[in-house]
Amino acid sequence: SVSNVQPVFDSILENATRLCNAHLGFLSLYDGELFQTVAHHGANPEFAKWVVARGRFVPSPGSGLDRLMANPQPVQFEDYKETTQYREGWPMSVKLVELGGVRSYLAVPLLKEGRLIGGITIAGTMSMTSALTADIYGRHSVGGILGVIFLANLQIGYLMPPAGLDLCISAFRFGKPIHEIVKASLPFA
């Protein structure tokens, strides 16, 4: 149903982390003041409990979500352990690295009519450059990752319909038969 978007959020994160060869994914919504993580994928139980328990939050200054608020453009940290936020001991940044195992980090804004409504964050345990160039055929290229997240953004923005158009665009973009795209996009396939 259109009112229950949780399976859509979960499916987006599951597929985005798989396609990006990442271990964590978060989808956080922004109400103009605070973020709230509404879906996560791949977190260990202790980290998942912390993510849910923190509720609505203000991101650490200079963090990926903080930068999305200032300028809704993709934000990448090659190694989160080398960020100022982590080195200065900002609690959320320390939790990401030490409890979540985050090293590489990519946050992409979710926009509606040009206004920030949230962000999708994909994180890995190795450097982003290594992860993105690991496949000689380019399956994990930055363009491919941003393409997946762009399509997910479209889907969320329209709250499901027109799914048929999104599936056709995805099939064309990834050069895959539409039945493979449909199977990959279904939450329980």
Side-chain angles (χ1 to χ4, degrees):
S1 96
V2 172
S3 62
N4 183 12
V5 296
Q6 192 63 47
V8 175
F9 292 162
D10 294 340
S11 179
I12 287 167
L13 289 178
E14 179 182 347
N15 288 309
T17 54
R18 179 176 48 80
L19 289 169
C20 298
N21 198 23
H23 83 286
L24 282 175
F26 304 98
L27 194 151
S28 301
L29 297 180
Y30 180 62
D31 64 9
E33 292 181 27
L34 301 170
F35 279 92
Q36 181 165 5
T37 302
V38 296
H40 58 85
H41 178 77
N44 65 56
E46 187 179 358
F47 188 58
K49 183 178 177 182
W50 172 78
V51 166
V52 172
R54 72 180 170 176
R56 296 173 67 218
F57 64 95
V58 174
S60 301
S63 68
L65 293 178
D66 182 59
R67 291 181 185 192
L68 287 184
M69 290 187 319
N71 182 16
Q73 299 292 320
V75 175
Q76 178 183 344
F77 295 108
E78 177 68 30
D79 187 345
Y80 211 88
K81 203 170 188 176
E82 298 300 319
T83 64
T84 303
Q85 307 83 270
Y86 176 77
R87 288 191 313 241
E88 290 182 357
W90 287 91
M92 278 192 236
S93 297
V94 170
K95 291 276 190 189
L96 279 173
V97 171
E98 295 180 7
L99 191 56
V102 171
R103 294 300 294 267
S104 59
Y105 178 100
L106 175 68
V108 178
L110 296 174
L111 303 172
K112 184 175 184 179
E113 299 173 359
R115 182 178 53 86
L116 183 68
I117 61 166
I120 295 177
T121 302
I122 303 297
T125 56
M126 59 192 273
S127 81
M128 190 66 74
T129 300
S130 298
L132 296 178
T133 58
D135 186 331
I136 188 169
Y137 299 106
R139 276 189 308 162
H140 305 299
S141 69
V142 172
I145 291 170
L146 293 179
V148 168
I149 295 174
F150 171 77
L151 291 172
N153 194 9
L154 281 176
Q155 197 63 39
I156 292 170
Y158 291 107
L159 290 178
M160 309 287 262
L165 177 61
D166 286 351
L167 294 172
C168 290
I169 291 170
S170 296
F172 174 77
R173 167 63 180 93
F174 296 108
K176 299 282 186 184
I178 198 160
H179 71 274
E180 288 183 23
I181 301 295
V182 169
K183 185 176 179 183
S185 65
L186 294 174
F188 305 107

